[in-house]
Structure formats: C-alpha cells, structure tokens
Amino acid sequence: MTKDAAPSAAGRPRLSGAPTGSPRQDIIREATALFVAKGYAETTMSEIARSAGLRQSSLYYWFARKEHILQALLEENRSSLALAASLEGRSGPAAPRLYAVLHADAMQLCSAPLDFYEFERVARSQPQNFGAFFDDYAALHGLTASIVRQGVESGEFQAVESEDAATAALGLNEGLQRHYRQPLPGLRSYSAEQVSGLSADTTLARLLAAPGKLAAVRAEAADLTAGWNPSAES
Amino acid sequence: MTKDAAPSAAGRPRLSGAPTGSPRQDIIREATALFVAKGYAETTMSEIARSAGLRQSSLYYWFARKEHILQALLEENRSSLALAASLEGRSGPAAPRLYAVLHADAMQLCSAPLDFYEFERVARSQPQNFGAFFDDYAALHGLTASIVRQGVESGEFQAVESEDAATAALGLNEGLQRHYRQPLPGLRSYSAEQVSGLSADTTLARLLAAPGKLAAVRAEAADLTAGWNPSAES
DNA sequence: CGCCTTTTCGATAAGTTATTGAAAGTCTGT
DNA sequence: ACAGACTTTCAATAACTTATCGAAAAGGCG
C-alpha cells in the first residue's frame, strides 16, 4: 500500500483518461501549487484530485490522510538545518556564521510552500507523523544558540543568554516571514530577500559588540553561503 | 435582528430549561473559553451552543456567522493601541515609551483569547467585517515607527529606518507570542511576562545607542505603564 | 381573545474528510 | 491461453461541518 512511484500501467484506468505518470509525485506537485495559492486549510481534497486528474476518493489510495500530503512536502524542506549544522562546527568568527544561518532560514521560510504557522498547526495536531518537524526545529534552535554562545565567548557578541537570543532570532524570522507572505493592508510589502535581510540585520545589530561591523559581517556571510549545496554534506 | 442584550423573558423557552440571561454575552463568554482552550478553527458551533445552553441552530439568531462571534471578541481588545497613542505624543525620551508600547503589545498578544495569527487568518477571510483590525494594526505600526523616529532624531537610538524597525519590533512580538501560547517541544517555555520582556529587551538593545542604559529604560517604562487605564483617555 | 414580536427549535441543504467494496485493468505461472 | 493475484480507480456512503428555513412557543398589547 502507498507505494512510492509505480510507473507501471497496471490498475483500473482513470475515467478522465489522463496519462497516469507518477500519481504520487503528481499529487504532491498539484497540492503544493494549491497550498501556495490558497493555504492548506482552504484547499480541499476534491480540488487536489481534480488538479491531479483523478477522483477525490482515489486520492486516499496514495495518501490515507490529508496531512500525509503535507508530510511528504516537509521532507523536501530541510536545507537550512543542514547549513546550520555545517556552520556551527566551523572555525572562524561567529557573527558571519550566525548571519548566514538566520538569513538562510528566513529565505526558506519565505520560499516554503506553506506558511510556517500553518505548518506548525498541522504538525501539532499530528505529533506522531510530524515528529521530524519538531526535531528539526529543536536542532536548529540548538545550533543557533551554540553559535551565539561561541560569539559571546569570543567577545564578538554582547553578553547575552544564548538560548533566549536564539529564541528571539528564530521568532523574528517566523514573525517576519508573515509580512512577506501576507502583507498587511496599509503597510509596505517586502520581498523574501528584504525580509531575510531585515531579520538577520536586526538580530546581528542587537548582538554585535561592535555595531559598526554589521556591513562586513553581511559580506562575510554571503561568502559562507555562496556555493552552498544542501545535499553535498558529509 | 441580533439585538444586543434583551433580558426580557419573551420568546420560546429553551428545551434545556436554562435561565436565559443575556444570551449574546453568554455566547461570547463560552466561545471565548473554548477558543482559548482549543483555538478558533477547532471549536464548532455545536460545542459553543452546548456550553451556552441552547441548540446549534439557535446560535445563528444571535450571530449570523461564526466569524461574527470573533468580531465581537475583537472589540474588547484594543488597549495597547490606546497606550501607544497616548505615549507617542508625550514628551521625554523615546526609549522608555517604545519599551512600554512594545511590552504592552506583547502582553496583550499573550493574554488575548486568540492566537494573533489565527485572528489574522479569519480577519483576512472577512475583510469587510474586520477592517478595524487592519486599521488598528496600521495605526499601531505608525505610532511605533513615530516613536522610533523620535528616538533616532534625539540621538537616543542608532540611525535606523523607522518603518523597518517598527515592522521588526512588531514582528518579533508576534513571533514570540507563539512561544508563550504553544511552547515547541524540546524548547523551554516562557511566561507572558518573560516573552514580553524578551521581546522588548531585544528590540531596545538593538536600537539604543548606549546599550548599557537598557536596565534604566526598563525601569522608566514601568513607571510610564503604572496606573495606566485603557478606558480613561481623551 | 386574537395578533404581533421575540426567541428557540427541528429538519435539512451543501460542503468537508475519510472508509468501503466493487470494478477494471495488468501481470505471472503453468 | 487462461486462471488467479495484484494494482489502481471508482461510486456510494458515513459522519461531521457551517448555515438556512419555516414552524413552534412563549410574552405583550389592543
């Protein structure tokens, strides 16, 4: 049941006559487009089925629950954690590493198919299926706090409590991604790059012992991120 | 239709025999408790009806749509805007006034019956009914930016773009309220006071030209807020 | 007493997620 | 070639949701 992708032409043919490619991937692709356009809660299984070219009840052959489609989406979005894991253990000043991690996380939050909070809501209602989500978050938080601690110990950063600083930094990322996804009426709207820059700038400006170095930190962070390939890590 | 509160004993008696006090207020009260406990989307009209002592369909005599109950809730939660409006025009240093506004806003976000993002989601789906929500937000943002600008001009703050700083400050409040309402597994949990302090501390530490003054600012802000009564303003 | 207003109720429509058993193909072994 | 197993799809339907409608049950008033 729920095989990954069977390009075989077996099974009852579709009424729509549509060419049955890789149903699982088709469903994920169409669902992603709909989630992006309308959000998770507002997208119905009937709409996904119509887009993917089969009937609503047939969807449940591939995904027993609506949340499982979301779960399949999640597993393609873990790159910022990999970057953080890589940069946490690297030598050199902490500030550019922290900037790179925060900026990459914000960019990922902005470009993900789903609003972070919508994702979190679903994850919380299905803890047994989304344990990886919370594990990843806790790991990212821990790595962020670790980089902060390194910066504090080296004197780059002011003397802050590293766990709280990490919570604030990630919370700022989450709060600001909203302003990219859903600009509030009457306020200016931001691009993903602007949101990510604002968030990382704000956190670093708060932490740096020498605030004048922010521009240099930003440039160094760009070097760290350049050529980063999430899947090419040990 | 939808009268405010008619303590008259007219109308068909309830099957439950419950004493029909002020149905509208009863419904709001019970719905609030359920929203706090389970969230808006997960609370059904049937549950609200059961708690309030009438039938599901009878609810629609008092509130034609589920969102109207939420709308009624909103109108009791506008105190931080009033504080901001009061403090924006006041003389004296900007830092304590900004701290007081941000702290009060965070406290309100934490103590509100509904998660900010859940509220925003509903508001966005019913713009004609929730225009006041967006108006209030834009007003709070404008006042916050104004106080930031005052601080920049007086030299208390670093030279920042005031609109962006306000966006970041409010976004941090919104992002952190989540950590109070729904602590993520594996991370420490915060009280409302801790969340609000962390948020206001973080923003002010980022803005202040003299970071060492944060403790003093915090104390002055407490004085500004002390004895503040939302409803006693011109 | 008959009529109007207020409030509640039951029945029901239309939409949602999810289950079930049957149908309609391909594939495999003999 | 063909019986049986396997894969995939479908229609029907259950259980739940928000919301509407007309009827019912009271009080108030001429």
Side-chain angles (χ1 to χ4, degrees):
Chain A
M1 64 291 273
T2 309
K3 281 216 159 174
D4 204 43
S8 76
R12 175 173 173 173
R14 292 184 180 171
L15 276 197
S16 60
T20 162
S22 289
R24 202 151 203 281
Q25 283 309 114
D26 293 350
I27 292 166
I28 292 177
R29 177 170 32 80
E30 297 302 322
T32 302
L34 287 166
F35 291 166
V36 168
K38 317 180 34 177
Y40 174 79
E42 287 73 26
T43 300
T44 70
M45 293 296 266
S46 296
E47 292 172 300
I48 299 172
R50 199 176 318 120
S51 295
L54 30 60
R55 306 289 176 147
Q56 179 258 4
S57 65
S58 305
L59 232 44
Y60 287 84
Y61 175 78
W62 299 99
F63 297 95
R65 326 193 142 267
K66 191 182 172 189
E67 292 100 7
H68 291 0
I69 303 181
L70 200 56
Q71 200 181 349
L73 272 182
L74 171 63
E75 281 152 23
E76 307 172 357
N77 284 351
R78 313 174 80 168
S79 63
S80 77
L81 176 59
L83 177 64
S86 163
L87 292 184
E88 189 264 345
R90 194 170 301 190
S91 62
R97 290 184 284 140
L98 181 61
Y99 192 102
V101 165
L102 294 179
H103 190 278
D105 180 57
M107 286 297 287
Q108 179 180 317
L109 289 177
C110 289
S111 61
L114 224 66
D115 183 284
F116 175 81
Y117 294 109
E118 206 161 6
F119 209 110
E120 197 210 331
R121 156 192 310 280
V122 180
R124 204 178 291 278
S125 74
Q126 296 280 328
Q128 71 279 21
N129 294 327
F130 288 91
F133 173 77
F134 297 111
D135 292 347
D136 283 8
Y137 192 96
L140 180 63
H141 186 275
L143 293 169
T144 304
S146 173
I147 301 180
V148 170
R149 200 177 311 113
Q150 295 169 28
V152 171
E153 286 170 2
S154 75
E156 287 172 82
F157 292 161
Q158 302 180 34
V160 301
E161 210 287 299
S162 59
E163 299 279 326
D164 287 350
T167 300
L170 297 182
L172 180 59
N173 270 1
E174 293 147 18
L176 284 182
Q177 58 107 25
R178 202 80 228 255
H179 289 256
Y180 160 72
R181 288 184 178 280
Q182 304 277 352
L184 285 150
L187 269 65
R188 67 163 286 200
S189 59
Y190 292 84
S191 70
E193 181 61 42
Q194 287 170 330
V195 157
S196 305
L198 174 58
S199 184
D201 277 15
T202 300
T203 295
L204 266 294
R206 182 263 177 276
L207 290 176
L208 278 174
K213 290 191 177 157
L214 178 57
V217 167
R218 213 185 282 128
E220 289 177 70
D223 292 343
L224 285 176
T225 317
W228 166 256
N229 181 352
S231 54
E233 267 309 291
S234 60
Chain B
M1 67 288 275
T2 309
K3 283 215 160 177
D4 204 44
S8 78
R12 174 173 172 171
R14 292 184 179 171
L15 276 196
S16 60
T20 164
S22 289
R24 201 151 203 283
Q25 282 310 114
D26 293 350
I27 291 166
I28 292 177
R29 177 171 30 79
E30 297 301 321
T32 302
L34 287 167
F35 291 166
V36 169
K38 318 181 36 179
Y40 174 79
E42 287 72 26
T43 301
T44 70
M45 293 295 267
S46 296
E47 292 173 301
I48 299 172
R50 199 177 317 122
S51 294
L54 30 60
R55 304 290 174 147
Q56 179 258 2
S57 65
S58 305
L59 232 44
Y60 287 83
Y61 176 78
W62 299 100
F63 297 94
R65 325 193 143 267
K66 191 182 172 189
E67 293 101 8
H68 291 0
I69 303 181
L70 199 56
Q71 200 180 348
L73 272 182
L74 171 63
E75 282 151 23
E76 306 172 357
N77 282 352
R78 313 173 81 168
S79 63
S80 76
L81 176 59
L83 176 64
S86 164
L87 292 184
E88 188 264 344
R90 193 171 301 191
S91 62
R97 289 183 285 141
L98 181 62
Y99 192 102
V101 165
L102 294 179
H103 190 279
D105 179 58
M107 287 297 287
Q108 180 180 317
L109 288 177
C110 289
S111 61
L114 223 66
D115 183 285
F116 175 80
Y117 295 108
E118 204 160 8
F119 209 109
E120 197 210 331
R121 157 193 310 279
V122 180
R124 205 178 289 279
S125 74
Q126 297 279 330
Q128 71 280 21
N129 294 327
F130 288 91
F133 172 77
F134 296 111
D135 291 348
D136 282 9
Y137 191 94
L140 179 63
H141 185 275
L143 293 168
T144 304
S146 173
I147 301 180
V148 170
R149 200 177 311 112
Q150 295 170 29
V152 171
E153 286 168 3
S154 75
E156 284 174 82
F157 292 162
Q158 303 179 33
V160 301
E161 210 287 301
S162 60
E163 299 280 327
D164 288 349
T167 300
L170 296 182
L172 181 59
N173 270 2
E174 293 146 19
L176 284 181
Q177 60 106 26
R178 203 81 226 262
H179 290 257
Y180 161 71
R181 288 185 177 280
Q182 304 278 351
L184 284 149
L187 269 64
R188 66 163 288 202
S189 59
Y190 292 85
S191 71
E193 181 61 40
Q194 287 170 330
V195 156
S196 305
L198 175 58
S199 184
D201 276 16
T202 300
T203 295
L204 266 293
R206 182 262 175 279
L207 290 176
L208 279 174
K213 289 189 176 160
L214 178 57
V217 167
R218 212 186 282 129
E220 289 177 68
D223 291 345
L224 285 176
T225 316
W228 166 257
N229 183 352
S231 54
E233 267 311 288
S234 61

